[in-house]
Amino acid sequence: MSLRLVDSVADRLARALACERPLDRLGGARRAELLAAAIPRFESRARESIAELEASSGLKKANLLRGLSDALESMSLERFIEILERAERSAPPGTRPSPLGLHLSILPSNVFTAPLRALILPLLFGNPVIAKASSRGDRLAHLFADALTETFAEAEPALRDALFVLTFSSQERDLLERLLVQAKSVAAYGTDQTVRAIRELLPAQTRYQAHGSGLGLALMDGPADEATLARFAEDIIAFDQRGCLSPHALFTLGDARQAAEALERALSAASFRRPRGALPLELASAQLQWRAVGEARGELIEGHDFAITIEPAGPPRISPGYRNIAIIPLESKTEFLRIAASFGQRLKALGIESEECASLIDELPLLVSPRISRFGEMQRPAIDEPWEGLAPHEGFVLYRAAW
Amino acid sequence: MTGSNEAEREALHAEILAFVHAHRDGLRDDDALGALLEKVADFQERAIPSYARLARRRRERGDARLPAAVPTDVFRYTRLAVHPPEDDRRIFRTSGTTHGERGKHHLRDLSLYDRGALIQGERFLFPDFADGKKLRGVILAPSPDEVPDSSLSYMLGLFAEHFLSEPEFLLRDGNLDHERLRTLLHERDNGPVALLGTSFAFVFAEEALGSARFQLPKGSRIMQTGGFKGRSRSYDPPTMRRMLSSRYGIDEHAIIAEYGMTELSSQFYEGELRALLLGAAFEDVPSAEARVLIPPPWVRAFPVHPETLERVPDGELGILRIDDLTNLDTIACIQTSDLAQATTEGIVLRGRAEGAVPRGCSIAIEEILGDVE
């Protein structure tokens, strides 16, 4: 472990902890103002750094720009205030929400804009943040931290150390442990194995949000018309199908072949506008394996940078992402419910195309609470939406008696 | 199979058996191997409809220089055999998943498997025990009677029969009989031991044996096989070798890895033990820590680029393709997910390609499907 890194972490921890009280005293409305003020500055930096973001995220420019504008769409002062007000409304009688203190965020790197939510929400509720980024995708988090630090430095200099992003390897376990023992709350994004390992390192009193592995599914009960599948193609190509909200299988009560052919046309057009990024070796291998099963069955449709397989009825053969999608015929919605429920909490998103499909959510088991959205909206969650069944303030506030 | 197919199959079987016998000394003739592989793949394409579909698509994409290689996942979802199910003599299955399918290798005839496995075993594991002499055998794996669908247990059963005296299989019902293991390893007066097993069974043993250390008699050897996919603990090969060397008191050169797959009929071995016992030199090692796995002369193995399927230059990383002549009744040309580099002697494994999932809440297929291998 580098001694400079250790010193830097110790120093940063001390400075972030010193921000706990002033950030709380600032009040929610002022924090919302400053965060909202940092957004245009960040957006401008991100657009200037598009080449670096391409290299860091592995996405092509057109897809990056679309992902950025989608992510920032809901990041406004009004929405931030609404999030704060909802937390107030949720307070038990005689209490008010208070920050927990230093928050540690182990950031995701599969979707390049995902760190924004992970950084903004704890800060909005008055918690200083130290974030651990992965070297495979840390550029955007650093850009946001720079924009926010500058905004704080100009308006509230005492808070310039309220957010710091560190990039270091997961092998640096000692360093991670130093951070974990100081944090009052921790949120970690990663595989189930990773988030379990972090839980084991945490002191008992630390609040913990674990965002483990997950995926999205989609359900279509109507005809396979071009407009519907064009919207669904957007859900597949966004972030190159690498997020936990990305759909990996489309279940249809209609004609699966017709749906596959319409989706091929939609994906060809969408991929032309926003081509897929480079395929890492590991993923290319998984893609080869996955597509070959379709090839051997004679049910594979391949485009320039995507593929569709028509699968037999039953549980899905999960695609590796990167614009590979399975279409699965269904006998009934009951069958879909059974399959969806089998994924449990790992089912994080459900794309639908009709009100009737939306009502299905009520029939899923209690612990299965995917984000439900229309086709074309699966990968555009607003910042004030619940995430994995949790309201935006959950995990970041403590309700204290209001004196 | 039709009568003409049957005759063709018998002719190919004889030709392959002759090829294996002619190359039992390890000398390669890759031109002859390539020509025979073409004939076998052509026969299989005519007999297996799903292979024909896959091969046709590959040709349509302009990939026709080599017979199409079938990715291993296809074995999980499609029957790949030239003969009908009623002619299956043995079915080897890959490790299970709770949600997915297990890959199946349908064997009609084990004669090619047996011949190849025994030649390779004698060459790399027992080169000093020819002519019917046998070595004491301790096996950290289930017996073929307990798991008749495990190709590894089947191979170890062959070794037990042909090369080992009083062999004992010490993994039963998923439990390692570590007391028996201690007893057997302390019997120094009975001569050297061949300790054979899966990598994970050796890790079990590490935990079960506690502080016990052994000094196995000179001439003892260890063969470990298999990785750590789906396991909570894993060790890189050099660490594993050091651990075993320290525990059992034998030279690291007497500890070798075997590489095989359910979908194959042949095995690869590291050559260090053979070199140690026969005084041969093995210099084709890309780094001090990496070891080369040597395929038999009836197998062609090389890494390819996963998108173009082109062979990558020696030393570059690709995914391992294996063309196994002895897979006559199933599929000879197999595409694995193992990352590998080619050397002049063989290949160096660099892990499995499925392992790297970008960090985040995104899909981790093995986890989502609840792999319980």
Side-chain angles (χ1 to χ4, degrees):
Chain A
M1 194 191 321
S2 142
L3 284 177
R4 277 183 62 187
L5 196 53
V6 174
D7 289 345
S8 163
V9 167
D11 176 52
R12 282 294 168 179
L13 265 171
R15 285 155 65 182
L17 286 166
C19 289
E20 282 184 347
R21 191 176 290 261
L23 195 59
D24 182 16
R25 284 188 179 155
L26 195 64
R30 180 65 174 146
R31 291 193 298 266
E33 263 179 38
L34 293 174
L35 284 164
I39 295 292
R41 177 177 261 163
F42 157 72
E43 185 175 7
S44 158
R45 299 275 173 82
R47 288 178 183 278
E48 285 164 14
S49 309
I50 210 74
E52 287 171 73
L53 284 171
E54 270 189 274
S56 156
S57 71
L59 296 173
K60 291 277 193 202
K61 182 178 175 180
N63 221 10
L64 267 173
L65 290 172
R66 175 63 178 270
L68 189 63
S69 60
D70 281 354
L72 296 179
E73 198 176 12
S74 67
M75 295 199 182
S76 64
L77 178 58
E78 294 72 25
R79 297 281 188 114
F80 293 159
I81 295 290
E82 169 54 29
I83 291 169
L84 291 167
E85 289 176 353
R86 197 181 308 159
E88 296 277 356
R89 289 197 296 273
S90 304
T95 68
R96 66 174 185 80
S98 300
L100 288 162
L102 180 66
H103 176 77
L104 173 66
S105 187
I106 317 287
L107 296 175
S109 61
N110 54 328
V111 168
F112 83 105
T113 54
L116 291 174
R117 182 188 173 95
L119 298 176
I120 288 171
L121 288 177
L123 285 163
L124 182 61
F125 287 102
N127 307 287
V129 174
I130 290 188
K132 178 196 174 307
S134 152
S135 54
R136 280 197 282 182
D138 65 343
R139 192 66 198 121
L140 184 122
H142 283 289
L143 287 172
F144 180 76
D146 291 349
L148 188 71
T149 303
E150 285 172 27
T151 306
F152 277 156
E154 287 165 14
E156 301 285 348
L159 296 175
R160 63 156 62 92
D161 296 320
L163 169 62
F164 187 65
V165 177
L166 277 165
T167 302
F168 61 90
S169 155
S170 311
Q171 306 303 316
E172 304 267 23
R173 195 180 154 110
D174 291 353
L175 215 51
L176 181 62
E177 284 184 30
R178 275 166 193 258
L179 296 170
L180 290 172
V181 295
Q182 292 285 341
K184 309 291 193 313
S185 67
V186 173
Y189 296 78
T191 63
D192 289 352
Q193 194 180 357
T194 304
V195 299
R196 263 198 309 272
I198 288 170
R199 185 188 296 278
E200 284 165 15
L201 295 173
L202 285 174
Q205 71 277 13
T206 308
R207 294 275 190 100
Y208 184 46
Q209 289 182 45
H211 301 281
S213 304
L215 84 169
L217 300 175
L219 173 63
M220 192 167 73
D221 58 350
D225 66 79
E226 302 287 329
T228 300
L229 287 158
R231 285 195 298 279
F232 184 56
E234 292 293 322
D235 294 326
I236 297 168
I237 68 169
F239 306 107
D240 286 348
Q241 209 187 0
R242 285 155 51 178
C244 56
L245 303 178
S246 299
H248 286 259
L250 169 65
F251 291 84
T252 177
L253 286 156
D255 184 322
R257 178 149 298 279
Q258 205 182 358
E261 287 166 1
L263 185 58
E264 181 194 13
R265 291 190 287 277
L267 279 172
S268 294
S271 281
F272 180 74
R273 291 193 303 273
R274 285 153 58 199
R276 192 197 65 198
L279 199 58
L281 181 69
E282 294 84 355
L283 266 302
S285 172
Q287 174 179 284
L288 175 67
Q289 294 282 345
W290 188 81
R291 289 184 180 184
V293 176
E295 267 180 326
R297 288 171 169 164
E299 292 157 342
L300 176 74
I301 297 173
E302 272 183 304
H304 172 63
D305 59 7
F306 65 86
I308 304 160
T309 62
I310 303 168
E311 300 283 315
R317 200 168 56 86
I318 303 298
S319 92
Y322 282 79
R323 304 189 181 186
N324 290 287
I325 182 92
I327 296 189
I328 302 166
L330 275 179
E331 289 293 322
S332 66
K333 286 179 185 164
T334 312
E335 187 190 353
F336 177 75
L337 281 172
R338 188 181 52 75
I339 293 168
S342 75
F343 285 94
Q345 291 172 309
R346 284 161 167 164
L347 179 62
K348 304 220 175 174
L350 180 55
I352 46 143
E353 200 40 32
S354 73
E355 286 303 322
E356 204 181 326
C357 287
S359 66
L360 278 177
I361 183 71
D362 299 332
E363 296 176 48
L364 283 169
L366 199 60
L367 286 173
V368 185
S369 52
R371 175 178 182 264
I372 309 277
S373 54
R374 295 280 187 161
F375 286 179
E377 301 291 327
M378 287 186 74
Q379 303 223 46
R380 302 176 66 191
I383 192 158
D384 54 346
E385 278 185 37
W387 186 266
E388 298 184 23
L390 297 176
H393 59 274
E394 287 184 68
F396 303 121
V397 297
L398 185 67
Y399 287 105
R400 293 182 198 276
W403 302 109
Chain B
M1 231 184 323
T2 64
S4 62
N5 278 354
E6 190 65 44
E8 184 180 3
R9 189 260 176 203
E10 289 310 310
L12 282 170
H13 184 274
E15 213 173 333
I16 294 167
L17 207 51
F19 187 95
V20 169
H21 184 73
H23 295 86
R24 64 191 182 286
D25 56 0
L27 291 178
R28 301 189 65 88
D29 181 349
D30 284 343
D31 289 341
L33 172 64
L36 196 44
L37 277 167
E38 293 275 351
K39 282 168 71 172
V40 170
D42 178 60
F43 165 67
Q44 291 170 343
E45 192 180 328
R46 282 182 279 116
I48 306 173
S50 48
Y51 183 42
R53 278 194 288 275
L54 188 136
R56 191 167 55 245
R57 281 189 68 104
R58 297 278 165 86
R59 281 195 293 274
E60 284 165 7
R61 287 203 305 241
D63 177 20
R65 275 155 298 166
L66 289 173
V70 177
T72 45
D73 263 12
V74 182
F75 285 79
R76 294 169 64 193
Y77 295 96
T78 311
R79 180 181 167 87
L80 293 165
V82 298
H83 55 278
E86 57 269 26
D87 288 348
D88 285 347
R89 179 163 167 219
R90 194 117 184 181
I91 302 173
F92 292 138
R93 291 183 173 84
T94 57
S95 306
T97 65
T98 52
H99 220 104
E101 300 288 330
R102 296 175 70 182
K104 292 184 259 323
H105 191 190
H106 302 269
L107 290 151
R108 173 189 168 173
D109 170 0
L110 288 153
S111 59
L112 293 174
Y113 186 104
D114 292 359
R115 187 79 184 108
L118 291 173
I119 290 174
Q120 283 289 89
E122 182 177 320
R123 184 167 173 76
F124 289 101
L125 258 180
F126 309 105
D128 52 338
F129 274 76
D131 307 325
K133 277 198 313 180
K134 291 190 174 181
L135 183 63
R136 222 157 37 104
V138 178
I139 301 173
L140 306 188
S143 75
D145 292 335
E146 184 178 330
V147 280
D149 63 353
S150 160
S151 57
L152 174 64
S153 286
Y154 177 80
M155 182 191 80
L156 291 170
L158 275 181
F159 289 177
E161 186 183 337
H162 290 267
F163 302 118
L164 303 176
S165 64
E166 301 167 43
E168 291 197 37
F169 288 86
L170 298 184
L171 202 62
R172 301 183 199 104
D173 298 324
N175 297 309
L176 178 71
D177 185 348
H178 53 90
E179 288 305 324
R180 184 68 186 147
L181 176 62
R182 280 171 201 264
T183 305
L184 290 170
L185 296 184
H186 278 307
E187 289 173 357
R188 285 185 53 83
D189 293 346
N190 293 343
V193 178
L195 184 54
L196 319 175
T198 65
S199 300
F200 205 73
F202 278 108
V203 174
F204 266 147
E206 276 299 301
E207 290 173 1
L209 294 171
S211 58
R213 288 282 182 276
F214 304 91
Q215 194 64 46
L216 296 183
K218 190 171 165 38
S220 296
R221 65 212 59 190
I222 289 177
M223 181 204 86
Q224 45 146 338
T225 184
F228 295 94
K229 185 169 157 254
R231 303 295 191 179
S232 52
R233 288 179 299 287
S234 66
Y235 297 92
D236 60 61
T239 305
M240 187 82 183
R241 281 196 296 271
R242 279 193 291 273
M243 197 164 80
L244 297 178
S245 172
S246 157
R247 169 76 61 185
Y248 300 104
I250 65 175
D251 188 324
E252 279 191 38
H253 289 90
I255 301 169
I256 59 165
E258 179 259 10
Y259 171 79
M261 293 173 65
T262 302
E263 298 86 349
L264 297 175
S265 298
S266 298
Q267 301 81 33
F268 297 40
Y269 287 87
E270 292 173 351
E272 277 72 7
L273 174 66
R274 181 177 165 81
L276 178 75
L277 294 170
L278 304 185
F282 270 89
E283 293 173 354
D284 181 33
V285 177
S287 77
E289 296 285 80
R291 281 189 176 182
V292 177
L293 284 160
I294 303 164
W298 51 91
V299 166
R300 178 169 66 186
F302 53 92
V304 300
H305 187 280
E307 287 188 277
T308 63
L309 303 182
E310 298 271 359
R311 183 177 187 144
V312 300
D314 282 5
E316 280 188 22
L317 203 58
I319 52 171
L320 184 61
R321 170 180 166 143
I322 301 172
D323 298 345
D324 181 355
L325 199 53
T326 55
N327 261 9
L328 170 62
D329 293 316
T330 56
I331 294 290
C333 304
I334 308 280
Q335 182 59 60
T336 76
S337 296
D338 290 325
L339 295 175
Q341 291 166 298
T343 73
T344 49
E345 289 274 0
I347 52 112
V348 176
L349 283 184
R350 296 294 188 188
R352 286 183 72 85
E354 291 100 328
V357 176
R359 194 177 73 198
C361 56
S362 75
I363 185 167
I365 296 173
E366 296 295 338
E367 283 190 344
I368 285 177
L369 295 182
D371 196 316
V372 293
E373 183 190 27

